[in-house]
Amino acid sequence: MRWFTAMVLLAGVLHLAPAADDYVLGPDSYPQPGVPKGKITQFKWDKSEVYPGTTRDCWVYVPAQYDGTTPACVMVFQDGGNYVNEKGQFRVPIVFDNLIHKKEMPVTVGIFVNPGVFPDKLDKAGKARSNRSFEYDTLSDQYARFLEKEILPEVGKSVKLRDDAAGRAIGGISSGGICAFTAAWERPDLFSKVLSHVGSFTNIRGGDVYPGVIRKSQRKPIRVFLQDGSGDLDNEHGSWPLGNLQMAAALRFMGYDYKFVYGDGAHNGKHGGVILPDSLRWLWRDVK
């Protein structure tokens, strides 16, 4: 399925109409003959000063084309375990392999970060209490500082990363999507590109204010790709489709470099995974 076969609603806004939530991955989401495979390593981060007491799993993808001396672009993903899974809905390492090989995106290191948990504090189910909503839904620069001061330097010990915003992107799904936008909004000097899948621009922790804030703030040097579906959530926190439509309208009003792809999917990564290759081509289109 060609994700861009659609009806244009607004400038930069696309509406897709396949069968309900019926999205099928394309060839860029599968290993291809002759394409070098990047290396994935995992580490645990339990030394956080920004989020004291938490521990989390992290993964690093280094493309085969990384030469060890030239600083690489970098893209951070929240809920990293979902994005790094090569049999999941996104399959980022495979997509990176294919696009980097075809020179359709730059040599890019992927950093996949799970939300923190408190191992000594148990929830009602007896599992380590998650810090996800606090980290992802809070409207502040705290998560960006966490990446800047802790995760990026840790990865930078073994891989040379670009330190300019033009060479850095950040993405996530649901609360991880609004987290990606918040990180770039608060620190456009740190991240210039945002990828949000079914982003939670709702009132979980005040995120529904963003459309109004965008309209009344000086335009920031960030590029934003939004994806959502008409079957997304509608609950006490708000309407996810409406929140994303309002975000797109505000970005359009302020003249941002943005794209909004609106389908009929639910609150999952099916649609976002199918359009991930084209999303990345669009985000990185002017970085050689």
Side-chain angles (χ1 to χ4, degrees), residues 205-227:
R205 293 178 183 264
D208 56 332
V209 304
Y210 267 136
V213 171
I214 291 169
R215 289 173 181 268
K216 293 187 175 182
S217 300
Q218 183 176 355
R219 190 172 68 224
K220 301 191 179 187
I222 58 177
R223 176 178 294 168
V224 183
F225 191 108
L226 303 173
Q227 172 272 325

